[in-house]
Amino acid sequence: MAVNVAELIDALPEVDQDEATPSGGVVTEALATILSDRPVPTGSMRRLSLLGGLQAKIAVAYGFHWLRGWFQDADQRERDLKETHFKTALKMLDSMGYLRGAVMKVGQTLANFPDVAPDGLVQTLDKLHFQAQPMHFSLLRETVINELGDEPHNLFAEFDETAFAAASLGQVHRARLKTGQQVAVKIQYPGIARTIRSDFRNLVPLLLPSRLTGDWQNLKDQVEFARRGIEMETDYTREAETQMRVRRLFFEEDGIVVPQVYPEFSTDRIITMDYLEGDHLDALLAKNPSQDERNDYALKLTRAGSRMVYHGRMNNVDVHAGNYLFMPDGRLGLIDFGCVIRIESDAMWELYGRLHRAMMTGEDSSIREVMMEWQQLTDSPSDAEHLRLSTEFGKLVWKPYYSPGPFDYGDREYLQRGIDLMAEHMKNRCTRSHPTNLMQARWHVGWWMMFYRLGAIIDPAPIVNEETTVTGWEGC
Amino acid sequence: MRVSAKTKEATRQKVLQVSQDLFNSEGFRETTSRDLAKAAGIAAGTIFNYFPTKEAIVLQLVCDALENAEATFNRRVRPESTLEEDLFLYVSTGLRQLQPMRGFVGPAFETHLGPACGGDANELGDRIRTSHVEMVSGLLSKHGHDEPPTAVHLQMYWLLYTGVLAFWAKDQSRKQEDTLALLDQSIKMFVNWYLAG
Ligand SMILES: Nc1ncnc2c1ncn2[C@@H]1O[C@H](COP(=O)(O)OP(=O)(O)OP(=O)(O)O)[C@@H](O)[C@H]1O
Ligand SMILES: [Mg+2]
């Protein structure tokens, strides 16, 4: 259902370009240069050198300028203008090659924070489904030489020149090490990390509403969380390190594999790791796996998630089907550790322990108090709705664990209730007290979605209980 | 005693070598002709027999590096690559060869290679431009564009190319990765524009 950018541009109303130009020094000037119909800005060299990062910056600026307008209750005329802004931004996006990835990443990350980026954006981004243009082999070679000091064909016994998969900020190539090991080499687009980070810094002032609202602090918190998320995703060194850490959590008998990282072929821009043979969820389902196979994978997914949380004190918040590989021998492959949050604070960990134990009872009376603490809520009537929603959401998350016997994840109503609750959370702005709430809610929904599609019918409780024993939490 | 052509060439190479070292370690401005002569082991006045100015030395270094790059490019280029890939590789190979002099070549680019200096009487600048443009024409024809590119095409190409050079000389990003991104966009832009007629 992905909409082509060109179609979208066509669909938007035509407005005079002059009107579309936003106020504000550099942006206007550079835009005038870039938007002019001349194929390349003629004249000064200085202008020419603006093109690289700036074009991307402006497109983002433009997009968010539009976005910001969405906040304020604009009248119709203004709203038309906003659409033009967006249209212009899209036009530029369309011509930006792989730098589009940067723009999308900023947008998608912000989409997790509804007070910053309203619904409209999320839906638009989802529909557009930008696919970054791959790097051609000459660019790739230069990047590899810069990063690893030699041509790919000298470093590796074999190196596939065409990427076999797209990553959000780069692409993944198959290769064979000189030792014979089959590897996947994930390579980041040059300049993209810095572009994203600096765009983000520069755009925050643009984003914040001009009229001060009472929610200033909350807004700032959300922006800060979004910024951290972005830094995390662009940091391949951190990702590789997390991956090595997670890998140590799993053993052969688990049937769960985390690819080994090869540090001598990994840098800030490249991660080289074992290649895992396997299917994504779609491909697996297309093969009509038996109920037993589905259940087995679901049990492994449960084990993988629990192991990371309870043993590793970390949480992979980027739950989507692309990050799991269903291997032909029945093992589960875990990839992509770009969005792993570590629970560093002991106080937080202890509180989480109490929340978990309360949740395992499934009883409102035990849950209420600890939920208030977890969500930083009070007894006041203004918090009542928030508390009710959080409690219900929490119970839904833990339901498969505290309900006796096998749980049917294929139950449409269960999934629907989760999605509705998340929407209600957003509507009631329950993300206010904890900027990460929504991220966590999305994480749970992502998780449910996978189990739902797998149509698993399993009792996850024994696994969860087994995995929590290591925490030393009383009663686990 | 007459200086043989061979000795003369050796001295010339020596001057080029010490210039690159001193420009890098001491800075282009800070290095005097006297410093260069001393480091090359020749009399202060003699250096002018080889190069009239420090700028001329820089231009010679650039010219030599780009000539070497040509050979390297011919080794690296692959028969099955696209026009875009070839043009990209040609420029990036040149940049790699220029890498040891990145700290001090910026001004020379602007003075001698920029579009503004047009048909100026600098012989080396012309040589660099001519051989680069010939290579580009050759690549266009390798990819089936047999009509020679027009002056406007080449002017446009040169504008983009020198823009990339200027950007690269000042690029602060990690391993000049931003230059790679800019080069990629510039080449795409040129190819699209060229193909559009
Ligand atoms: N070790 C591997 N073995 C096999 N396939 C892999 C491996 N690593 C990555 N891939 C493939 O590349 C795709 C993208 O990799 P990855 O998820 O790590 O990138 P990403 O940049 O984090 O993407 P996103 O943020 O969109 O999830 C995966 O969905 C998978 O198909
Ligand atoms: Mg992924």
Side-chain angles (χ1 to χ4, degrees), chain A residues 57 61 195-207:
Chain A
K57 284 203 185 87
T195 307
I196 295 182
R197 290 175 188 206
S198 67
D199 279 349
F200 197 84
R201 263 197 311 279
N202 299 337
L203 287 170
V204 165
L206 257 174
L207 268 171

Side-chain angles (χ1 to χ4, degrees), chain A residues 410-429:
Chain A
D411 177 6
R412 172 90 218 169
E413 249 171 65
Y414 176 71
L415 177 69
Q416 193 58 54
R417 189 69 205 124
I419 294 172
D420 291 349
L421 267 178
M422 192 173 86
E424 268 186 81
H425 259 79
M426 284 169 73
K427 213 170 82 207
N428 289 286
R429 313 192 64 183

